[in-house]
C-alpha cells in the first residue's frame, strides 16, 4: 500500500488547474488548435472549450487566446502568462512529488504506523532557517560534511550523519534549509580571532531586542539573509554591541541541521 495524490490548484475556492486541464494546455501549445488538442487529451471539443473558458474566467489574465482568420486561418495559442503558468505548475508538481515520496518513506501503512506523519507538521523552534544549495557532500566513516552555498558569496558547512544524508536523499545541487538554534550562534568583533568552528559569517547588527537577562541580536549577513543570536546583556555591554556594529557570526558545523 502506498500514498498517491494528484496536484490541483484552486482559485477563489474553485478548481483552476487540474491534471486534465494541464494536458489540454500542453496540447494547445503543441498543436495550436483546440480541435487537435481536444483529440490528443482526449476530450470532446465542447468540454475543451468549457475548460478553457473556465480557466480564462477565473484568471485575471487570459491563459488561452483564440485567433480567427488571417493567412493561416487562425488558431489557438497560449498567452505568455499561460506559458509561465505551465512552467510554475511543473515546478510545483516536482515539489509535490517529493512531498508524497517523503510521506511514503516515513510512513508504513502496511503496519498501520502513522505516527511519524506528525514530523511533517511540527513547528520548529529554531529561530534561524536559511535556504542554501548543496555544493558538495564529503562522506566520512560515520558523518558527512555538507557544504552549502547561501545567497551571494556566503558558504557554510554542516556535519550530519551518513544515515541522515541517505534518509533525506541529499544530492549535490539540492536546495535545502539550514536550521540553527539562536543559542548556537556566537558573536565576535575580532575579525582575526582563530577558532575551531568551521563557519564564520560576516555581518552587521541590524537590531538588538533587549530582555531582562538576554538580548536577541539580529545580524544582516547580506543578500537578504539574516541570522539571530541570543547573548547575555553582560556580553552586549562588554563587547560594546550596538546597531551598525560589524560582527562575525560563528557557528560550529555540528550545530547546523539540514532540512529538505
Amino acid at each position: 500500500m502506498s500514498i498517491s495524490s494528484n496536484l490541483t490548484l484552486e482559485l477563489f475556492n474553485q478548481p483552476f488547474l487540474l491534471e486534465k486541464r494541464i494536458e489540454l494546455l500542453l496540447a494547445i501549445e503543441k498543436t495550436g488548435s483546440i480541435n487537435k488538442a481536444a483529440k490528443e487529451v482526449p476530450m470532446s471539443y465542447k468540454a475543451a472549450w468549457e475548460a478553457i473558458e473556465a480557466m480564462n474566467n477565473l484568471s485575471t489574465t487570459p491563459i488561452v487566446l483564440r485567433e480567427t482568420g488571417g493567412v493561416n486561418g487562425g488558431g489557438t495559442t497560449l498567452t505568455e502568462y499561460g506559458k509561465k503558468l505551465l512552467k510554475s505548475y511543473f515546478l510545483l508538481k516536482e515539489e509535490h512529488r517529493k512531498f508524497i515520496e517523503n510521506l511514503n518513506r516515513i510512513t508504513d501503512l502496511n503496519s498501520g504506523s502513522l505516527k511519524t506523519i506528525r514530523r511533517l507538521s511540527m513547528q520548529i523552534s529554531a529561530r534561524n532557517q536559511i535556504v542554501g544549495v548543496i555544493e558538495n557532500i564529503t562522506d566520512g566513516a560515520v558523518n558527512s560534511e555538507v557544504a552549502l552555498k547561501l545567497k551571494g558569496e556566503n558558504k557554510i558547512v554542516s556535519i550530519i550523519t551518513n544515515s541522515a544524508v541517505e534518509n533525506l536523499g541529499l544530492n549535490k545541487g539540492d536546495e535545502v534549509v539550514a536550521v540553527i538554534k539562536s543559542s548556537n550562534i556566537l558573536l565576535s568583533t575580532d575579525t582575526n580571532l582563530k577558532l575551531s568552528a568551521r563557519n564564520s559569517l560576516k555581518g552587521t547588527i541590524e537590531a538588538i531586542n533587549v530582555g531582562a537577562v538576554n538580548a536577541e541580536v539580529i545580524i544582516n549577513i547580506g543578500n537578504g539573509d539574516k541570522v539571530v543570536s541570543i547573548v547575555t546583556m553582560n556580553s552586549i555591554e562588554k563587547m560594546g554591541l550596538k546597531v551598525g556594529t560589524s560582527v562575525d557570526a560563528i557557528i560550529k558545523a555540528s550545530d547546523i541541521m539540514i532540512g529538505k
Side-chain angles (χ1 to χ4, degrees):
M1 194 187 320
S2 63
I3 301 168
S4 65
S5 170
N6 290 327
L7 178 63
T8 299
L9 303 186
E10 292 186 354
L11 192 62
F12 304 118
N13 296 320
Q14 296 292 324
F16 179 55
L17 288 183
L18 306 90
E19 295 281 351
K20 204 74 170 178
R21 288 182 179 179
I22 290 296
E23 290 176 22
L24 178 61
L25 293 178
L26 286 172
I28 288 172
E29 186 176 36
K30 174 185 173 184
T31 65
S33 162
I34 184 64
N35 191 37
K36 292 178 181 178
K39 289 178 180 178
E40 280 205 11
V41 172
M43 62 170 61
S44 69
Y45 181 81
K46 181 176 181 293
W49 264 114
E50 286 177 352
I52 289 169
E53 286 173 356
M55 286 187 284
N56 278 345
N57 287 341
L58 285 170
S59 175
T60 55
T61 304
I63 297 171
V64 178
L65 290 179
R66 186 178 187 180
E67 300 172 352
T68 57
V71 178
N72 299 316
T76 308
T77 60
L78 296 186
T79 63
E80 284 303 312
Y81 173 72
K83 293 176 182 178
K84 289 179 181 177
L85 200 60
L86 273 182
K87 185 177 180 181
S88 297
Y89 178 87
F90 285 111
L91 288 174
L92 287 172
K93 188 174 181 180
E94 175 60 18
E95 292 305 312
H96 180 257
R97 182 194 65 77
K98 291 179 183 177
F99 173 75
I100 296 300
E101 188 179 84
N102 194 35
L103 271 182
N104 278 303
R105 183 171 63 246
I106 69 171
T107 308
D108 186 0
L109 289 175
N110 293 319
S111 68
S113 176
L114 300 176
K115 291 188 293 184
T116 50
I117 287 181
R118 292 190 66 239
R119 295 177 189 169
L120 295 178
S121 60
M122 287 174 60
Q123 297 295 317
I124 299 174
S125 61
R127 182 68 188 278
N128 300 292
Q129 299 178 46
I130 308 173
V131 174
V133 175
I134 296 178
E135 278 199 331
N136 190 45
I137 300 176
T138 305
D139 297 328
V142 178
N143 297 323
S144 294
E145 284 189 3
V146 182
L148 304 180
K149 185 178 187 301
L150 308 183
K151 297 173 188 174
E153 300 302 316
N154 286 325
K155 298 182 182 182
I156 57 175
V157 174
S158 169
I159 294 180
I160 59 177
T161 63
N162 294 336
S163 60
V165 171
E166 184 178 350
N167 290 337
L168 289 169
L170 299 182
N171 292 291
K172 185 177 179 179
D174 284 351
E175 186 176 81
V176 296
V177 178
V179 181
I180 315 156
K181 293 175 64 176
S182 53
S183 57
N184 288 335
I185 298 182
L186 305 178
L187 299 183
S188 173
T189 54
D190 185 354
T191 55
N192 296 316
L193 191 64
K194 293 183 178 180
L195 296 167
S196 60
R198 290 289 298 275
N199 303 294
S200 181
L201 299 172
K202 296 187 181 301
T204 304
I205 295 177
E206 191 172 273
I208 299 176
N209 300 321
V210 176
V213 179
N214 296 325
E216 184 183 71
V217 182
I218 301 172
I219 304 106
N220 188 332
I221 58 174
N223 296 98
D225 281 336
K226 298 176 186 179
V227 293
V228 178
S229 173
I230 297 294
V231 298
T232 64
M233 288 302 300
N234 187 43
S235 296
I236 294 283
E237 293 174 7
K238 283 187 175 180
M239 297 173 67
L241 300 181
K242 58 184 179 181
V243 173
T245 301
S246 296
V247 294
D248 284 354
I250 300 161
I251 315 159
K252 292 171 63 177
S254 56
D255 286 336
I256 300 178
M257 296 175 282
I258 300 294
K260 183 180 177 184

